[in-house]
Amino acid sequence: MSGPNTSYDPVEVEALKPEEIERALADALAAVAAATDLDALREAKAAHTGPSSPLALANREIGALPPQARAEAGRRVGQARGELGRALAVRQTELEAERDERVLVEEAVDVTLPYDRVPAGARHPITTLSERIEDVFVAMGYEVAEGPEVEAEWFNFDALNIGPDHPARAESDTFYVAGAEEGTASGAVLRTHTSPVQIRSMLEHREPPIYVICPGRVYRTDEVDATHSPVFHQVECLAVDEGLTMADLKGTLDHMVRSLFGGEGMRTRLRPDYFPFTEPSAEMDMVCYVCRGESVGNPDRPCRTCSSEGWIELGGCGVVNPRVLLACGIDPERYSGFAFGFGIERMLMFRNNVQDMRDMIEADVRFTRPFGTEV
Ligand code: PHE
């Protein structure tokens, strides 16, 4: 059995020769000194202390030496690595200090400079009121529904039992979308109310129960004035279920006005009216939330909000006409429903004492800001 090779000279291991170690250390120290920023230093460190650096390779060779030569070689490599480690730490501290100083100068903020006085914006009160109304209904389990503003005539009129000769179809009320060819009709209109969303909801759900609330933009050929605009907003409510009656409609309306206007005595009343898509139909009024009806016949206590009438007109409502249910494939023998719709601008006008429709259209921040940024 052969023993260790005692004549093996460690100096003969190339990587471990003193001059090799010295050269590796000198290269490494030069690279450290040459590093002018932290990235360069990180690169120098990787090149000279990483697993394939000359000093790491030399360190690995030590194990191959005969035992008596290892201590000497180990010390030599260890010293070199120690010295490099210290040089790296010193340079790191120097470069960090330089960087901190540079950042302080380059990123200094002059707090005495005047800043841009960009005024805070505000959400439009039409949006916040719509969302408030949605919330009242979502809390009762309703879903929020949507439909397109460019609507097929069939959804806007026919399916709602609005016959071809109904005055609401007249060009004088409705924006018709022209066909591709000159003089032809496209069959599309800008929706004149949110009621087509009733049809869309029923066709989408197919099977009742259906409880939807739908706020949205609608269009009519009105000139802009203090109380009119060709574009305004409505909110539509539709409920279809077994056994729904006018009483459910009334209870829902009462709950809505109590939630929106609060306090004692808020309620609604219904007056007979006509809509092709509801039967019976009614005009709905709510108690004046300012005087609560006390201005009526009471000249000492006039009310500007309701012109001392005690009631404020809200919009239209009724029990869904069975013909509408049939148009949507819902069996009117089994199901019944109620619906209502009203204008949001109108409600905002009496609720927040907005005098002019045009203020709501322009949405000047001076108009919207006093409503706050309520969400
Ligand atoms: N769509 C009707 C309108 O624009 C309002 C309404 C909705 C009436 C639902 C009855 C039921 O005036």
Side-chain angles (χ1 to χ4, degrees):
M1 209 168 96
S2 61
N5 179 0
T6 48
S7 66
Y8 184 85
D9 179 358
V11 175
E12 289 307 309
V13 175
E14 192 65 20
L16 283 168
K17 283 185 186 164
E19 57 271 27
E20 282 302 318
I21 303 288
E22 249 163 55
R23 208 182 34 193
L25 177 60
D27 283 354
L29 292 176
V32 169
T36 51
D37 60 35
L38 288 163
D39 283 341
L41 187 64
R42 204 172 305 119
E43 272 170 37
K45 185 177 179 181
H48 295 280
T49 65
S52 52
S53 63
L55 286 177
L57 291 175
N59 197 46
R60 234 175 286 148
E61 295 291 333
I62 295 171
L65 294 178
Q68 66 272 32
R70 281 184 201 159
E72 172 65 26
R75 192 166 344 102
R76 207 180 302 143
V77 177
Q79 269 171 4
R81 297 176 95 198
E83 196 174 326
L84 174 55
R86 282 188 294 280
L88 277 166
V90 168
R91 191 75 188 124
Q92 175 86 17
T93 313
E94 280 169 12
L95 289 175
E96 277 174 5
E98 264 177 50
R99 179 205 51 199
D100 292 350
E101 209 161 303
R102 197 172 50 243
V103 165
L104 280 179
V105 174
E106 283 172 5
E107 297 178 14
V109 175
D110 182 351
V111 293
T112 66
L113 286 175
Y115 63 95
D116 279 344
R117 286 164 205 255
V118 179
R123 303 186 73 209
H124 198 284
I126 291 290
T127 310
T128 47
L129 180 55
S130 302
E131 288 178 359
R132 187 165 284 209
I133 296 165
E134 275 173 32
D135 286 348
V136 170
F137 284 86
V138 167
M140 288 192 277
Y142 281 69
E143 278 174 61
V144 178
E146 279 183 355
E149 289 169 27
V150 178
E151 183 59 284
E153 270 185 69
W154 189 81
F155 282 105
N156 196 78
F157 296 127
D158 302 77
L160 288 162
N161 194 35
I162 302 176
D165 299 322
H166 193 279
R169 290 207 180 207
E171 294 264 6
S172 57
D173 286 326
T174 308
F175 285 110
Y176 282 85
V177 177
E181 304 272 306
E182 175 92 25
T184 60
S186 67
V189 296
L190 299 188
R191 67 179 177 192
T192 57
H193 52 177
T194 41
S195 298
V197 184
Q198 289 189 30
I199 306 300
R200 290 183 174 272
S201 303
M202 285 190 270
L203 290 175
E204 242 167 58
H205 280 264
R206 287 280 168 182
E207 279 303 306
I210 297 166
Y211 289 89
V212 290
I213 184 84
C214 163
R217 216 175 265 136
V218 299
Y219 301 81
R220 289 183 197 173
T221 55
D222 286 324
E223 297 288 333
V224 178
D225 66 23
T227 53
H228 292 89
S229 160
V231 187
F232 59 103
H233 297 75
Q234 284 190 334
V235 61
E236 189 86 12
C237 171
L238 170 73
V240 182
D241 207 338
E242 284 180 1
L244 287 184
T245 70
M246 204 85 175
D248 297 297
L249 167 64
K250 179 73 167 58
T252 307
L253 290 172
D254 283 348
H255 174 74
M256 177 182 77
V257 296
R258 252 176 245 135
S259 306
L260 292 176
F261 294 92
E264 282 293 297
M266 281 312 298
R267 62 197 167 85
T268 55
R269 75 172 179 188
L270 303 180
R271 288 176 290 119
D273 199 353
Y274 172 78
F275 294 101
F277 36 96
T278 44
E279 181 59 35
S281 303
E283 196 68 25
M284 53 195 187
D285 299 339
M286 59 174 245
V287 161
C288 172
Y289 72 103
V290 177
C291 72
R292 312 261 158 172
E294 279 173 26
S295 64
V296 183
N298 190 353
D300 298 336
R301 201 186 177 296
C303 179
R304 275 193 299 154
T305 304
C306 64
S307 312
S308 299
E309 285 179 5
W311 295 93
I312 298 172
E313 193 181 310
L314 267 187
C317 64
V319 169
V320 181
N321 192 319
R323 301 175 72 147
V324 173
L325 295 179
L326 275 176
C328 300
I330 291 176
D331 179 5
E333 298 294 323
R334 179 162 174 210
Y335 296 108
S336 58
F338 63 77
F340 63 80
F342 62 85
I344 301 179
E345 276 81 355
R346 222 190 100 68
M347 181 176 274
L348 194 68
M349 286 178 95
F350 68 73
R351 179 180 180 260
N352 295 81
N353 198 20
V354 178
Q355 300 294 333
D356 198 318
M357 189 84 177
R358 287 165 285 207
D359 290 334
M360 290 185 268
I361 300 169
E362 283 163 12
D364 188 316
V365 74
R366 287 170 296 183
F367 167 75
T368 54
R369 204 189 295 118
F371 291 90
T373 47
E374 57 179 328
V375 282

PDB file of all heavy atoms in Angstrom, residues 160 192-195 198 220 232 234-237 275 277-278 281-282 315-318 338-342, ligand 1:
ATOM      1  N   LEU A 160     -92.721  46.815 -25.421  1.00  0.00           N
ATOM      2  CA  LEU A 160     -93.368  47.501 -24.302  1.00  0.00           C
ATOM      3  C   LEU A 160     -94.813  47.871 -24.655  1.00  0.00           C
ATOM      4  O   LEU A 160     -95.422  48.727 -24.005  1.00  0.00           O
ATOM      5  CB  LEU A 160     -92.572  48.761 -23.924  1.00  0.00           C
ATOM      6  CG  LEU A 160     -91.242  48.468 -23.213  1.00  0.00           C
ATOM      7  CD1 LEU A 160     -90.320  49.695 -23.271  1.00  0.00           C
ATOM      8  CD2 LEU A 160     -91.476  48.060 -21.760  1.00  0.00           C
ATOM      9  N   THR A 192     -85.539  56.233 -25.323  1.00  0.00           N
ATOM     10  CA  THR A 192     -86.267  57.401 -24.826  1.00  0.00           C
ATOM     11  C   THR A 192     -86.611  57.241 -23.352  1.00  0.00           C
ATOM     12  O   THR A 192     -87.132  58.151 -22.720  1.00  0.00           O
ATOM     13  CB  THR A 192     -87.567  57.597 -25.618  1.00  0.00           C
ATOM     14  OG1 THR A 192     -88.336  56.386 -25.522  1.00  0.00           O
ATOM     15  CG2 THR A 192     -87.266  57.891 -27.078  1.00  0.00           C
ATOM     16  N   HIS A 193     -86.385  56.052 -22.824  1.00  0.00           N
ATOM     17  CA  HIS A 193     -86.609  55.774 -21.401  1.00  0.00           C
ATOM     18  C   HIS A 193     -85.801  54.539 -21.011  1.00  0.00           C
ATOM     19  O   HIS A 193     -85.225  53.879 -21.891  1.00  0.00           O
ATOM     20  CB  HIS A 193     -88.109  55.609 -21.082  1.00  0.00           C
ATOM     21  CG  HIS A 193     -88.849  54.626 -21.962  1.00  0.00           C
ATOM     22  ND1 HIS A 193     -90.166  54.309 -21.787  1.00  0.00           N
ATOM     23  CD2 HIS A 193     -88.442  53.878 -23.026  1.00  0.00           C
ATOM     24  CE1 HIS A 193     -90.549  53.418 -22.683  1.00  0.00           C
ATOM     25  NE2 HIS A 193     -89.529  53.158 -23.438  1.00  0.00           N
ATOM     26  N   THR A 194     -85.754  54.230 -19.727  1.00  0.00           N
ATOM     27  CA  THR A 194     -84.984  53.053 -19.307  1.00  0.00           C
ATOM     28  C   THR A 194     -85.837  51.782 -19.346  1.00  0.00           C
ATOM     29  O   THR A 194     -85.340  50.690 -19.065  1.00  0.00           O
ATOM     30  CB  THR A 194     -84.399  53.247 -17.892  1.00  0.00           C
ATOM     31  OG1 THR A 194     -85.377  53.877 -17.070  1.00  0.00           O
ATOM     32  CG2 THR A 194     -83.125  54.077 -17.917  1.00  0.00           C
ATOM     33  N   SER A 195     -87.116  51.925 -19.741  1.00  0.00           N
ATOM     34  CA  SER A 195     -87.993  50.745 -19.739  1.00  0.00           C
ATOM     35  C   SER A 195     -87.532  49.594 -20.647  1.00  0.00           C
ATOM     36  O   SER A 195     -87.820  48.436 -20.322  1.00  0.00           O
ATOM     37  CB  SER A 195     -89.428  51.156 -20.066  1.00  0.00           C
ATOM     38  OG  SER A 195     -89.909  52.039 -19.071  1.00  0.00           O
ATOM     39  N   GLN A 198     -86.238  46.721 -18.873  1.00  0.00           N
ATOM     40  CA  GLN A 198     -87.194  45.726 -18.344  1.00  0.00           C
ATOM     41  C   GLN A 198     -87.217  44.505 -19.264  1.00  0.00           C
ATOM     42  O   GLN A 198     -87.118  43.364 -18.813  1.00  0.00           O
ATOM     43  CB  GLN A 198     -88.615  46.296 -18.332  1.00  0.00           C
ATOM     44  CG  GLN A 198     -88.902  47.369 -17.316  1.00  0.00           C
ATOM     45  CD  GLN A 198     -90.412  47.676 -17.293  1.00  0.00           C
ATOM     46  OE1 GLN A 198     -91.233  46.810 -17.558  1.00  0.00           O
ATOM     47  NE2 GLN A 198     -90.740  48.906 -16.971  1.00  0.00           N
ATOM     48  N   ARG A 220     -84.294  62.428 -25.431  1.00  0.00           N
ATOM     49  CA  ARG A 220     -85.521  62.894 -26.090  1.00  0.00           C
ATOM     50  C   ARG A 220     -85.218  64.190 -26.812  1.00  0.00           C
ATOM     51  O   ARG A 220     -84.329  64.936 -26.388  1.00  0.00           O
ATOM     52  CB  ARG A 220     -86.646  63.108 -25.069  1.00  0.00           C
ATOM     53  CG  ARG A 220     -87.164  61.782 -24.528  1.00  0.00           C
ATOM     54  CD  ARG A 220     -88.311  61.932 -23.574  1.00  0.00           C
ATOM     55  NE  ARG A 220     -88.460  60.684 -22.824  1.00  0.00           N
ATOM     56  CZ  ARG A 220     -89.281  60.509 -21.808  1.00  0.00           C
ATOM     57  NH1 ARG A 220     -90.045  61.508 -21.401  1.00  0.00           N
ATOM     58  NH2 ARG A 220     -89.342  59.337 -21.198  1.00  0.00           N
ATOM     59  N   PHE A 232     -80.903  62.980 -20.410  1.00  0.00           N
ATOM     60  CA  PHE A 232     -81.086  63.029 -18.960  1.00  0.00           C
ATOM     61  C   PHE A 232     -81.024  61.602 -18.411  1.00  0.00           C
ATOM     62  O   PHE A 232     -80.686  60.673 -19.145  1.00  0.00           O
ATOM     63  CB  PHE A 232     -82.376  63.774 -18.585  1.00  0.00           C
ATOM     64  CG  PHE A 232     -83.645  63.189 -19.142  1.00  0.00           C
ATOM     65  CD1 PHE A 232     -84.497  62.451 -18.337  1.00  0.00           C
ATOM     66  CD2 PHE A 232     -83.987  63.382 -20.472  1.00  0.00           C
ATOM     67  CE1 PHE A 232     -85.680  61.914 -18.844  1.00  0.00           C
ATOM     68  CE2 PHE A 232     -85.175  62.852 -20.992  1.00  0.00           C
ATOM     69  CZ  PHE A 232     -86.015  62.110 -20.176  1.00  0.00           C
ATOM     70  N   GLN A 234     -82.714  58.394 -16.026  1.00  0.00           N
ATOM     71  CA  GLN A 234     -83.876  57.819 -15.344  1.00  0.00           C
ATOM     72  C   GLN A 234     -83.401  56.647 -14.511  1.00  0.00           C
ATOM     73  O   GLN A 234     -82.306  56.115 -14.715  1.00  0.00           O
ATOM     74  CB  GLN A 234     -84.876  57.259 -16.364  1.00  0.00           C
ATOM     75  CG  GLN A 234     -85.701  58.306 -17.074  1.00  0.00           C
ATOM     76  CD  GLN A 234     -86.826  57.663 -17.879  1.00  0.00           C
ATOM     77  OE1 GLN A 234     -86.730  56.509 -18.306  1.00  0.00           O
ATOM     78  NE2 GLN A 234     -87.900  58.411 -18.077  1.00  0.00           N
ATOM     79  N   VAL A 235     -84.239  56.245 -13.585  1.00  0.00           N
ATOM     80  CA  VAL A 235     -83.961  54.974 -12.919  1.00  0.00           C
ATOM     81  C   VAL A 235     -85.230  54.144 -13.056  1.00  0.00           C
ATOM     82  O   VAL A 235     -86.346  54.640 -12.913  1.00  0.00           O
ATOM     83  CB  VAL A 235     -83.515  55.178 -11.452  1.00  0.00           C
ATOM     84  CG1 VAL A 235     -84.560  55.843 -10.624  1.00  0.00           C
ATOM     85  CG2 VAL A 235     -83.086  53.865 -10.837  1.00  0.00           C
ATOM     86  N   GLU A 236     -85.034  52.900 -13.437  1.00  0.00           N
ATOM     87  CA  GLU A 236     -86.143  51.993 -13.716  1.00  0.00           C
ATOM     88  C   GLU A 236     -86.117  50.879 -12.685  1.00  0.00           C
ATOM     89  O   GLU A 236     -85.050  50.403 -12.303  1.00  0.00           O
ATOM     90  CB  GLU A 236     -85.908  51.376 -15.109  1.00  0.00           C
ATOM     91  CG  GLU A 236     -87.044  50.585 -15.645  1.00  0.00           C
ATOM     92  CD  GLU A 236     -88.049  51.475 -16.371  1.00  0.00           C
ATOM     93  OE1 GLU A 236     -87.735  52.653 -16.635  1.00  0.00           O
ATOM     94  OE2 GLU A 236     -89.148  50.986 -16.664  1.00  0.00           O
ATOM     95  N   CYS A 237     -87.290  50.474 -12.245  1.00  0.00           N
ATOM     96  CA  CYS A 237     -87.361  49.342 -11.319  1.00  0.00           C
ATOM     97  C   CYS A 237     -88.307  48.326 -11.921  1.00  0.00           C
ATOM     98  O   CYS A 237     -89.346  48.690 -12.471  1.00  0.00           O
ATOM     99  CB  CYS A 237     -87.884  49.830  -9.966  1.00  0.00           C
ATOM    100  SG  CYS A 237     -88.243  48.485  -8.839  1.00  0.00           S
ATOM    101  N   PHE A 275     -99.928  54.073 -19.127  1.00  0.00           N
ATOM    102  CA  PHE A 275     -98.720  53.714 -19.878  1.00  0.00           C
ATOM    103  C   PHE A 275     -99.038  52.425 -20.610  1.00  0.00           C
ATOM    104  O   PHE A 275     -99.700  51.548 -20.039  1.00  0.00           O
ATOM    105  CB  PHE A 275     -97.516  53.473 -18.942  1.00  0.00           C
ATOM    106  CG  PHE A 275     -97.070  54.710 -18.215  1.00  0.00           C
ATOM    107  CD1 PHE A 275     -97.446  54.908 -16.891  1.00  0.00           C
ATOM    108  CD2 PHE A 275     -96.299  55.678 -18.832  1.00  0.00           C
ATOM    109  CE1 PHE A 275     -97.054  56.045 -16.203  1.00  0.00           C
ATOM    110  CE2 PHE A 275     -95.905  56.820 -18.153  1.00  0.00           C
ATOM    111  CZ  PHE A 275     -96.278  57.010 -16.844  1.00  0.00           C
ATOM    112  N   PHE A 277     -97.294  49.942 -21.193  1.00  0.00           N
ATOM    113  CA  PHE A 277     -96.611  48.739 -20.678  1.00  0.00           C
ATOM    114  C   PHE A 277     -96.995  48.375 -19.258  1.00  0.00           C
ATOM    115  O   PHE A 277     -96.479  47.413 -18.696  1.00  0.00           O
ATOM    116  CB  PHE A 277     -95.095  48.878 -20.810  1.00  0.00           C
ATOM    117  CG  PHE A 277     -94.579  50.272 -20.580  1.00  0.00           C
ATOM    118  CD1 PHE A 277     -94.091  50.651 -19.345  1.00  0.00           C
ATOM    119  CD2 PHE A 277     -94.607  51.205 -21.607  1.00  0.00           C
ATOM    120  CE1 PHE A 277     -93.631  51.940 -19.138  1.00  0.00           C
ATOM    121  CE2 PHE A 277     -94.143  52.504 -21.408  1.00  0.00           C
ATOM    122  CZ  PHE A 277     -93.662  52.883 -20.168  1.00  0.00           C
ATOM    123  N   THR A 278     -97.868  49.181 -18.640  1.00  0.00           N
ATOM    124  CA  THR A 278     -98.358  48.814 -17.312  1.00  0.00           C
ATOM    125  C   THR A 278     -99.877  48.904 -17.308  1.00  0.00           C
ATOM    126  O   THR A 278    -100.460  49.723 -18.002  1.00  0.00           O
ATOM    127  CB  THR A 278     -97.780  49.735 -16.215  1.00  0.00           C
ATOM    128  OG1 THR A 278     -97.847  51.088 -16.664  1.00  0.00           O
ATOM    129  CG2 THR A 278     -96.342  49.374 -15.883  1.00  0.00           C
ATOM    130  N   SER A 281    -101.953  51.599 -14.473  1.00  0.00           N
ATOM    131  CA  SER A 281    -100.805  52.497 -14.421  1.00  0.00           C
ATOM    132  C   SER A 281    -101.104  53.653 -13.483  1.00  0.00           C
ATOM    133  O   SER A 281    -102.272  53.971 -13.248  1.00  0.00           O
ATOM    134  CB  SER A 281    -100.513  53.090 -15.793  1.00  0.00           C
ATOM    135  OG  SER A 281    -100.294  52.079 -16.752  1.00  0.00           O
ATOM    136  N   ALA A 282    -100.053  54.244 -12.972  1.00  0.00           N
ATOM    137  CA  ALA A 282    -100.255  55.373 -12.059  1.00  0.00           C
ATOM    138  C   ALA A 282     -99.111  56.357 -12.167  1.00  0.00           C
ATOM    139  O   ALA A 282     -98.005  56.017 -12.594  1.00  0.00           O
ATOM    140  CB  ALA A 282    -100.366  54.872 -10.616  1.00  0.00           C
ATOM    141  N   GLY A 315     -92.809  60.181 -10.914  1.00  0.00           N
ATOM    142  CA  GLY A 315     -92.719  59.535 -12.228  1.00  0.00           C
ATOM    143  C   GLY A 315     -93.860  58.563 -12.419  1.00  0.00           C
ATOM    144  O   GLY A 315     -94.891  58.660 -11.740  1.00  0.00           O
ATOM    145  N   GLY A 316     -93.656  57.602 -13.341  1.00  0.00           N
ATOM    146  CA  GLY A 316     -94.728  56.668 -13.665  1.00  0.00           C
ATOM    147  C   GLY A 316     -94.477  55.287 -13.094  1.00  0.00           C
ATOM    148  O   GLY A 316     -93.341  54.908 -12.816  1.00  0.00           O
ATOM    149  N   CYS A 317     -95.589  54.548 -12.939  1.00  0.00           N
ATOM    150  CA  CYS A 317     -95.451  53.192 -12.395  1.00  0.00           C
ATOM    151  C   CYS A 317     -96.689  52.372 -12.727  1.00  0.00           C
ATOM    152  O   CYS A 317     -97.651  52.896 -13.290  1.00  0.00           O
ATOM    153  CB  CYS A 317     -95.247  53.246 -10.888  1.00  0.00           C
ATOM    154  SG  CYS A 317     -96.658  53.941 -10.000  1.00  0.00           S
ATOM    155  N   GLY A 318     -96.668  51.122 -12.367  1.00  0.00           N
ATOM    156  CA  GLY A 318     -97.850  50.304 -12.572  1.00  0.00           C
ATOM    157  C   GLY A 318     -97.530  48.826 -12.483  1.00  0.00           C
ATOM    158  O   GLY A 318     -96.396  48.427 -12.219  1.00  0.00           O
ATOM    159  N   PHE A 338     -94.395  44.458 -11.093  1.00  0.00           N
ATOM    160  CA  PHE A 338     -94.619  45.905 -11.086  1.00  0.00           C
ATOM    161  C   PHE A 338     -93.368  46.595 -11.595  1.00  0.00           C
ATOM    162  O   PHE A 338     -92.271  45.990 -11.600  1.00  0.00           O
ATOM    163  CB  PHE A 338     -95.020  46.415  -9.689  1.00  0.00           C
ATOM    164  CG  PHE A 338     -93.986  46.244  -8.604  1.00  0.00           C
ATOM    165  CD1 PHE A 338     -92.885  47.109  -8.527  1.00  0.00           C
ATOM    166  CD2 PHE A 338     -94.115  45.238  -7.651  1.00  0.00           C
ATOM    167  CE1 PHE A 338     -91.940  46.954  -7.527  1.00  0.00           C
ATOM    168  CE2 PHE A 338     -93.164  45.078  -6.648  1.00  0.00           C
ATOM    169  CZ  PHE A 338     -92.074  45.937  -6.576  1.00  0.00           C
ATOM    170  N   ALA A 339     -93.553  47.838 -12.032  1.00  0.00           N
ATOM    171  CA  ALA A 339     -92.417  48.600 -12.564  1.00  0.00           C
ATOM    172  C   ALA A 339     -92.646  50.065 -12.275  1.00  0.00           C
ATOM    173  O   ALA A 339     -93.779  50.505 -12.105  1.00  0.00           O
ATOM    174  CB  ALA A 339     -92.294  48.383 -14.070  1.00  0.00           C
ATOM    175  N   PHE A 340     -91.551  50.778 -12.176  1.00  0.00           N
ATOM    176  CA  PHE A 340     -91.687  52.228 -12.143  1.00  0.00           C
ATOM    177  C   PHE A 340     -90.433  52.864 -12.720  1.00  0.00           C
ATOM    178  O   PHE A 340     -89.382  52.221 -12.858  1.00  0.00           O
ATOM    179  CB  PHE A 340     -91.997  52.768 -10.741  1.00  0.00           C
ATOM    180  CG  PHE A 340     -90.927  52.540  -9.698  1.00  0.00           C
ATOM    181  CD1 PHE A 340     -89.807  53.362  -9.626  1.00  0.00           C
ATOM    182  CD2 PHE A 340     -91.058  51.506  -8.775  1.00  0.00           C
ATOM    183  CE1 PHE A 340     -88.844  53.161  -8.659  1.00  0.00           C
ATOM    184  CE2 PHE A 340     -90.092  51.301  -7.804  1.00  0.00           C
ATOM    185  CZ  PHE A 340     -88.982  52.131  -7.737  1.00  0.00           C
ATOM    186  N   GLY A 341     -90.559  54.132 -13.087  1.00  0.00           N
ATOM    187  CA  GLY A 341     -89.413  54.852 -13.630  1.00  0.00           C
ATOM    188  C   GLY A 341     -89.553  56.320 -13.301  1.00  0.00           C
ATOM    189  O   GLY A 341     -90.667  56.855 -13.289  1.00  0.00           O
ATOM    190  N   PHE A 342     -88.431  56.943 -12.993  1.00  0.00           N
ATOM    191  CA  PHE A 342     -88.497  58.394 -12.750  1.00  0.00           C
ATOM    192  C   PHE A 342     -87.175  59.050 -13.129  1.00  0.00           C
ATOM    193  O   PHE A 342     -86.153  58.373 -13.316  1.00  0.00           O
ATOM    194  CB  PHE A 342     -88.895  58.707 -11.293  1.00  0.00           C
ATOM    195  CG  PHE A 342     -87.937  58.204 -10.249  1.00  0.00           C
ATOM    196  CD1 PHE A 342     -86.817  58.958  -9.896  1.00  0.00           C
ATOM    197  CD2 PHE A 342     -88.161  56.988  -9.612  1.00  0.00           C
ATOM    198  CE1 PHE A 342     -85.945  58.495  -8.936  1.00  0.00           C
ATOM    199  CE2 PHE A 342     -87.285  56.528  -8.643  1.00  0.00           C
ATOM    200  CZ  PHE A 342     -86.175  57.283  -8.304  1.00  0.00           C
TER     201      PHE A 342
HETATM  202  N1  PHE B   1     -90.919  54.742 -18.912  1.00  0.00           N
HETATM  203  C1  PHE B   1     -91.872  55.681 -18.360  1.00  0.00           C
HETATM  204  C2  PHE B   1     -91.455  57.105 -18.751  1.00  0.00           C
HETATM  205  O1  PHE B   1     -90.381  57.292 -19.263  1.00  0.00           O
HETATM  206  C3  PHE B   1     -91.956  55.589 -16.855  1.00  0.00           C
HETATM  207  C4  PHE B   1     -92.497  54.282 -16.383  1.00  0.00           C
HETATM  208  C5  PHE B   1     -91.648  53.241 -16.072  1.00  0.00           C
HETATM  209  C6  PHE B   1     -93.883  54.103 -16.253  1.00  0.00           C
HETATM  210  C7  PHE B   1     -92.168  52.032 -15.601  1.00  0.00           C
HETATM  211  C8  PHE B   1     -94.393  52.904 -15.794  1.00  0.00           C
HETATM  212  C9  PHE B   1     -93.517  51.894 -15.481  1.00  0.00           C
HETATM  213  O2  PHE B   1     -92.166  58.029 -18.526  1.00  0.00           O
END
